[in-house]
């Protein structure tokens, strides 16, 4: 199992060989700036996290740091890490298929530093009368065994089970969550979403979203800009900052700062990994609107940022 550095919170990661983070001294490194900053990639849900970490580490304004952030989404960022086109990534747990690809490329060991607590969540329309589902019920919905809301105490209506594209981070979570259940293909192509914003907006629609269900990560779906949606309690426990902090929410995990284990001992990447785990680094995590790994809460986050709308980040994804 991945060494998460925290044993009080269960994780849902696939098996990955890791090495411990090694400390470096400031005297071994030159001053770091945005110009010589490591190439950091990652999922779209961690863009603000990356920016706040950079801002805190370099002592610069958030807006300046954000302009330097380029994330190519979960799957492509991992490919970039394997191929040496990224020095590190902010990511959710990686999938078995991704690890197989890494092995084929001769990369078998990584270091995964927990950056923030995270939860895998299920979202429905706020007007849906169903408030709680068991893990088994959710798996049966997404395997096609349960197809009507009345089977789980809701309206007599067909369940529209939305999914993400297969190379997304939330899809990684979903595959692992399903366990022995097979994730079925959706009946409609329109039930697949290539971005999380589209899924959240569709679930929140009054006419078309009432009978839908989707999945996401807590740090993304909890943003106040998403209206008319609610989280489903899983096994009667709703995802909140408190239940994620205490590890009582049943599908808890981390967002990780991940890099190759052959990263040089005196590299900027290792210094940044050490900073993320520090008190100051965790303050930056909280300012990004995410949950600290240390279980503390200082009230540093003010939700006054506009949604991240930049398009065309990163290089073009290969056709294959």
């Amino acid at each position: 199992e991945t060494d998460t550095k925290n044993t009080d919170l269960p994780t849902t990661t696939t098996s990955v060989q890791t090495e411990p983070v090694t400390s470096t001294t400031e005297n071994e490194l030159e001053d770091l700036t945005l110009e010589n900053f490591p190439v950091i990639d990652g999922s779209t849900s961690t863009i603000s996290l990356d920016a706040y970490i950079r801002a805190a580490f370099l002592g610069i304004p958030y807006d300046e740091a954000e302009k330097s952030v380029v994330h190519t989404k979960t799957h492509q960022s991992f490919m970039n890490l394997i191929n040496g086109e990224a020095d590190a990534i902010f990511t959710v747990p990686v999938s078995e298929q991704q690890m197989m690809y890494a092995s084929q490329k001769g990369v078998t060991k990584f270091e995964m530093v927990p950056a923030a607590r995270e939860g895998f969540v299920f979202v429905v329309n706020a007007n849906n009368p169903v408030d709680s589902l068991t893990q088994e019920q959710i798996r049966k919905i997404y395997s096609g065994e349960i197809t009507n809301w009345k089977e789980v105490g809701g309206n007599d209506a067909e369940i529209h089970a939305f999914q993400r594209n297969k190379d997304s981070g939330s899809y990684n979570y979903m595959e692992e969550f399903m366990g022995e259940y097979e994730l079925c293909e959706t009946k409609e192509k329109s039930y697949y979403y290539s971005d999380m914003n589209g899924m959240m907006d569709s679930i929140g629609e009054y006419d078309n979203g009432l009978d839908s269900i989707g999945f996401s990560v807590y740090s993304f779906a909890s943003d106040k800009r998403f209206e008319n949606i609610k989280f489903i309690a899983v096994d009667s426990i709703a995802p909140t900052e408190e239940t994620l902090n205490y590890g009582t929410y049943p599908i808890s995990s981390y967002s990780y700062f991940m890099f190759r284990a052959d990263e040089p001992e005196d590299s900027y990447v290792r210094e940044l990994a050490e900073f993320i785990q520090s008190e100051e680094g965790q303050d930056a995590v909280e300012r990004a609107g995410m949950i600290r790994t240390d279980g503390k809460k200082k009230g540093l986050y003010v939700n006054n940022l506009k949604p991240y709308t930049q398009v065309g980040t990163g290089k073009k994804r290969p056709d294959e």
Side-chain angles (χ1 to χ4, degrees), residues 126-138:
N127 295 308
N128 190 320
V130 176
D131 295 319
S132 181
L133 294 168
T134 66
Q135 293 187 60
E136 184 178 14
Q137 285 174 326
I138 297 172

Side-chain angles (χ1 to χ4, degrees), residues 46-105:
T46 59
I47 288 174
S48 63
L49 172 63
D50 190 345
Y52 270 105
I53 292 293
R54 295 181 192 217
F57 190 80
L58 299 175
I60 61 176
Y62 171 84
D63 290 344
E64 181 181 346
E66 185 195 43
K67 292 177 183 178
S68 70
V69 177
V70 178
H71 283 195
T72 59
K73 297 188 177 181
T74 302
H75 178 78
Q76 187 58 43
S77 68
F78 184 75
M79 298 298 105
N80 291 342
L81 177 63
I82 296 305
N83 296 327
E85 297 174 20
D87 299 312
I89 61 176
F90 284 102
T91 183
V92 300
V94 296
S95 68
E96 183 178 346
Q97 289 81 1
Q98 288 172 313
M99 288 307 302
M100 289 177 60
Y101 175 82
S103 181
Q104 291 170 2
K105 292 291 185 177

Side-chain angles (χ1 to χ4, degrees), residues 10 41-42 50 58 76 102-103 106 129 145 150 152 168 172-173 178 183 201 227 232 235 248 268 272 281 285 307:
D41 207 334
D50 190 345
L58 299 175
Q76 187 58 43
S103 181
E145 291 185 45
K150 69 179 181 181
V152 290
S168 67
N172 287 358
Y173 269 122
M178 291 295 289
L183 185 61
D201 291 340
E227 300 178 350
I232 283 288
D235 295 337
T248 55
Y268 292 141
L272 191 58
V285 168

Side-chain angles (χ1 to χ4, degrees), residues 4-19:
T4 63
K5 311 297 181 184
N6 282 281
T7 59
D8 60 332
L9 182 66
T11 62
T12 57
T13 61
T14 56
S15 295
V16 181
Q17 289 184 303
T18 62
E19 300 291 337

Side-chain angles (χ1 to χ4, degrees), residues 31-318:
D31 291 338
L32 190 61
T33 67
L34 284 179
E35 286 67 36
N36 62 357
F37 204 80
V39 178
I40 309 297
D41 207 334
S43 63
T44 52
S45 66
T46 59
I47 288 174
S48 63
L49 172 63
D50 190 345
Y52 270 105
I53 292 293
R54 295 181 192 217
F57 190 80
L58 299 175
I60 61 176
Y62 171 84
D63 290 344
E64 181 181 346
E66 185 195 43
K67 292 177 183 178
S68 70
V69 177
V70 178
H71 283 195
T72 59
K73 297 188 177 181
T74 302
H75 178 78
Q76 187 58 43
S77 68
F78 184 75
M79 298 298 105
N80 291 342
L81 177 63
I82 296 305
N83 296 327
E85 297 174 20
D87 299 312
I89 61 176
F90 284 102
T91 183
V92 300
V94 296
S95 68
E96 183 178 346
Q97 289 81 1
Q98 288 172 313
M99 288 307 302
M100 289 177 60
Y101 175 82
S103 181
Q104 291 170 2
K105 292 291 185 177
V107 183
T108 60
K109 292 185 178 181
F110 300 89
E111 297 189 26
M112 298 179 67
V113 177
R117 298 200 181 201
E118 189 58 277
F120 185 49
V121 298
F122 294 89
V123 180
V124 297
N125 188 281
N127 295 308
N128 190 320
V130 176
D131 295 319
S132 181
L133 294 168
T134 66
Q135 293 187 60
E136 184 178 14
Q137 285 174 326
I138 297 172
R139 291 185 180 107
K140 287 184 176 180
I141 287 173
Y142 273 94
S143 66
E145 291 185 45
I146 295 177
T147 60
N148 194 297
W149 282 109
K150 69 179 181 181
E151 299 177 64
V152 290
N155 298 325
D156 184 4
E158 181 182 2
I159 298 175
H160 301 161
F162 292 165
Q163 293 190 30
R164 286 296 314 283
N165 48 300
K166 294 184 178 181
D167 58 2
S168 67
S170 56
Y171 191 90
N172 287 358
Y173 269 122
M174 190 63 188
E175 274 198 316
E176 186 163 340
F177 168 77
M178 291 295 289
E180 296 180 356
Y181 286 82
E182 183 176 354
L183 185 61
C184 71
E185 298 289 332
T186 64
K187 295 181 179 180
E188 304 288 341
K189 289 184 177 180
S190 60
Y191 291 177
Y192 280 105
Y193 288 86
S194 60
D195 69 274
M196 195 64 74
N197 288 293
M199 179 186 286
M200 294 297 106
D201 291 340
S202 294
I203 293 174
E205 290 180 1
Y206 180 77
D207 293 330
N208 300 322
L210 182 59
D211 302 321
S212 62
I213 183 172
F215 50 82
S216 182
V217 290
Y218 178 83
S219 61
F220 185 89
S222 60
D223 195 293
K224 297 184 185 304
R225 74 180 185 269
F226 298 125
E227 300 178 350
N228 204 36
I229 66 172
K230 68 178 180 182
F231 291 129
I232 283 288
V234 179
D235 295 337
S236 301
I237 301 176
T240 65
E241 287 190 11
E242 289 71 23
T243 59
L244 289 174
N245 261 333
Y246 290 112
T248 55
Y249 180 66
I251 322 175
S252 299
S253 185
Y254 291 97
S255 286
Y256 293 95
F257 182 69
M258 180 179 186
F259 53 95
R260 294 167 54 144
D262 58 4
E263 183 69 29
E265 295 297 324
D266 60 349
S267 70
Y268 292 141
V269 170
R270 289 187 179 277
E271 186 182 28
L272 191 58
E274 189 174 340
F275 174 79
I276 289 171
Q277 295 179 302
S278 70
E279 186 77 9
E280 187 178 357
Q282 287 299 296
D283 286 349
V285 168
E286 186 174 344
R287 288 191 178 94
M290 302 185 77
I291 301 173
R292 307 164 67 105
T293 61
D294 56 20
K296 301 177 182 177
K297 184 178 180 182
K298 296 183 178 180
L300 300 175
Y301 177 60
V302 179
N303 190 11
N304 60 358
L305 297 177
K306 295 181 180 179
Y308 189 90
T309 56
Q310 183 174 333
V311 296
T313 58
K315 65 180 184 179
K316 184 178 181 297
R317 179 180 297 179

